[in-house]
Amino acid sequence: PRSTLFPYTTLFRSFKGGSHWNGFGAYVGYRAICAEVGVTPDHFDEFEWTYEPVPGGCDLEERLSLDPGPYTMFKKKLAKGAGTFDNAIWSGGNVKVFTNRNSDLPKAVIFRDSFAMKLLPLLCESFSRIVAVATGWFWPELIAAERPHFVITQLAERYVTSHMADYPTKSFEDLCKISALEISQK
């Protein structure tokens, strides 16, 4: 039987111009995380879904000098959560803070790679506060400052051994250019 949750067959398509999740893939990950932590995810129909070229293209298209291809993306119809801080570091050490109008929802700290960029706007609809750091390492000082209900590590499999086996070569503050205490006040 065909799923009534995902009736839009166009969204299942996977364009090969990017190595990251498209919006639909991020939605599947969002639902899995919500199920694991006991949070109700927003329904598929609460988002506007599109299937069109990404301005500037995706990572593989850029590296291979290909024209931008179609990509499934989403936009929340009535967003409750929003980004409230970004330290503007491009890759490792990037810190993003999201808050939701509903302060009764749980809080989360996420240690992530670039795949979570599409996941964060979804998660901020189901958590009151999210602090997401682009790093494969666990930072106890951030957990102590934030006191989250959940700690989530999202890493592409290719990074698991390189990050789990090594110790950070910098302090949290050197990596992120901001202290965990300062983040907790954002």
Side-chain angles (χ1 to χ4, degrees):
R2 202 172 141 191
S3 170
T4 57
L5 179 62
F6 303 114
Y8 309 104
T9 56
T10 309
L11 302 179
F12 293 126
R13 293 184 196 159
S14 175
F15 181 71
K16 304 299 185 217
S19 66
H20 293 87
W21 292 335
N22 64 16
F24 179 73
Y27 185 76
V28 171
Y30 161 67
R31 288 182 55 83
I33 290 170
C34 288
E36 189 66 31
V37 301
V39 172
T40 303
D42 285 354
H43 191 271
F44 186 78
D45 291 334
E46 294 181 51
F47 299 89
E48 295 174 16
W49 295 90
T50 60
Y51 186 69
E52 55 197 42
V54 175
C58 297
D59 60 341
L60 296 178
E61 292 167 332
E62 182 181 325
R63 287 178 177 91
L64 299 172
S65 300
L66 300 173
D67 291 333
Y71 204 70
T72 303
M73 290 303 301
F74 61 87
K75 180 179 162 190
K76 182 70 179 193
K77 291 177 183 175
L78 296 170
K80 300 175 296 280
T84 55
F85 174 77
D86 187 331
N87 68 350
I89 294 175
W90 172 244
S91 59
N94 175 254
V95 176
K96 293 185 183 307
V97 177
F98 295 85
T99 56
N100 188 303
R101 291 190 305 260
N102 184 350
S103 61
D104 293 331
L105 295 170
K107 296 189 314 182
V109 167
I110 302 174
F111 300 116
R112 66 168 188 85
D113 64 19
S114 58
F115 279 75
M117 291 303 293
K118 302 250 179 347
L119 185 61
L120 294 173
L122 294 161
L123 288 172
C124 80
E125 295 299 310
S126 298
F127 289 83
S128 64
R129 178 176 168 86
I130 294 174
V131 175
V133 182
T135 181
W137 293 294
F138 181 87
W139 297 95
E141 61 265 44
L142 183 61
I143 303 305
E146 285 295 319
R147 301 174 51 96
H149 297 94
F150 300 101
V151 177
I152 301 167
T153 300
Q154 174 279 309
L155 284 176
E157 289 177 356
R158 65 182 183 230
Y159 297 125
V160 171
T161 57
S162 64
H163 281 82
M164 298 307 205
D166 296 336
Y167 291 100
T169 57
K170 302 178 179 185
S171 69
F172 180 84
E173 193 167 345
D174 286 341
L175 178 70
C176 301
K177 308 299 183 223
I178 187 170
S179 72
L181 184 59
E182 288 174 294
I183 292 169
S184 71
Q185 298 166 357
K186 299 281 183 199

